[in-house]
Structure formats: structure tokens, C-alpha cells
Amino acid sequence: MDKIEYKRVAYVHNGQQVYEWEQSLEDVNCYIAPPGGVRARDFDIDISARHLRVGIKGNPPFIDEDFSELVNSNDSFWTLEDGTLHLSLVKGSRGVTWAALLKGHSAFDPLTQQEVAKSLMLERFQAENPGFDFSGASFNGEVPDPKSFMGGMRYK
């Protein structure tokens, strides 16, 4: 069974990449390249249900914005892996397709939106039909909403 590919999208502000992010049915992952020499204990990070604050202790926050959708903050966490800050966020509502990570940040273009929706639909099909391989499946026309398609999500 092939792995379903998720579309990682970069958020760029004033010509500089701020972060990259991707999503699955249940999770959103955000990747930030911190300045060199910064250690995990140097970060000041707060993940709440509606808001994200990321900074380095003693400095103003680098990111201090509301999420575009709700997050389950109790199950969300962050790590510093191979020099990359990784925020692992659990969606507050499974299956919802996020158009942007944070409010006010650019939403997907229509083509990217369709690619993301396709990945989420394939993940949903895979979860609802274990043993079948949907990695090569395609859709004719617009991809349906993974959250509400055919009566909604049927699995936990």
C-alpha cells in the first residue's frame, strides 16, 4: 500500500518564508526554521485552542496569531528536530480542511485547495476501508468536502 502524499505549503511574507505546513484529517503540522544556535529551552511557545504564540525568550513573539480553525491544545505539542521547530497540532474538528494555518494568512489557491482536499479524501477512504489502496485514486471534477461527503465521517 502506497503512502498518501500530503501537500506541504509555504507561507511567505515580504519575500521570506515564515513557515511551511501540511494537514491530514486529524492533524496539522507546522515547520519553522529558527535562527542558528537556538535550543529548545530558548523557545517561548504557547498553543491554545484558538491562538498560537511562538517566540524566543526575552524577545517579542515571532508569531502571535489566531488559528484559522480550532485546535485541541491538550493533545498538541512542539519539538525541535534536526534544527527545525515542528508544531504538531491536533485539529479541533476532524476532517475539516483548513484553508490557512493562521487567520489573516494567505489561503490556498484553488489548485492547491483541490490537492489538499484530494489527500484528505484519500486518507478518509483509506481509514474507512482498511486493506484497500486508494493512493492512486483520482477524482473527476471538484473533490468533495472530506468532512461531510456521503453523510460525514464514520470513524473515530
Side-chain angles (χ1 to χ4, degrees):
M1 196 171 342
D2 291 334
K3 183 178 182 262
I4 296 171
E5 291 186 33
Y6 296 101
K7 175 82 174 170
R8 191 182 281 196
V9 180
Y11 174 71
V12 177
H13 181 71
N14 291 335
Q16 184 167 351
Q17 181 175 301
V18 179
Y19 58 81
E20 288 184 309
W21 71 288
E22 63 191 5
Q23 62 184 302
S24 67
L25 284 173
E26 298 181 10
D27 303 304
V28 174
N29 292 292
C30 176
Y31 307 93
I32 301 170
V38 177
R39 298 169 299 211
R41 66 177 177 225
D42 298 329
F43 285 104
D44 179 19
I45 299 175
D46 182 50
I47 301 169
S48 70
R50 298 183 186 275
H51 195 83
L52 174 66
R53 189 185 72 239
V54 177
I56 297 174
K57 292 176 183 171
N59 295 295
F62 174 64
I63 295 174
D64 195 6
E65 305 284 340
D66 287 337
F67 288 113
S68 66
E69 301 286 342
L70 288 177
V71 168
N72 180 338
S73 58
N74 291 332
D75 294 331
S76 300
F77 61 93
W78 64 271
T79 59
L80 186 62
E81 304 169 354
D82 300 323
T84 299
L85 178 61
H86 176 199
L87 306 174
S88 181
L89 310 168
V90 177
K91 289 181 175 180
S93 183
R94 179 180 308 174
V96 171
T97 304
W98 291 24
L101 177 66
L102 301 169
K103 285 184 179 177
H105 289 200
S106 54
F108 295 136
D109 62 77
L111 177 61
T112 302
Q113 177 70 27
Q114 287 294 300
E115 290 175 5
V116 169
K118 177 184 175 186
S119 294
L120 298 183
M121 279 301 299
L122 294 177
E123 180 184 359
R124 178 180 161 184
F125 290 160
Q126 197 78 51
E128 291 177 350
N129 302 281
F132 288 90
D133 181 6
F134 293 96
S135 61
S138 62
F139 294 90
N140 291 335
E142 188 171 333
V143 178
D145 177 29
K147 174 102 178 142
S148 60
F149 179 68
M150 293 188 69
M153 310 233 342
R154 297 185 308 225
Y155 71 98
K156 290 216 171 232

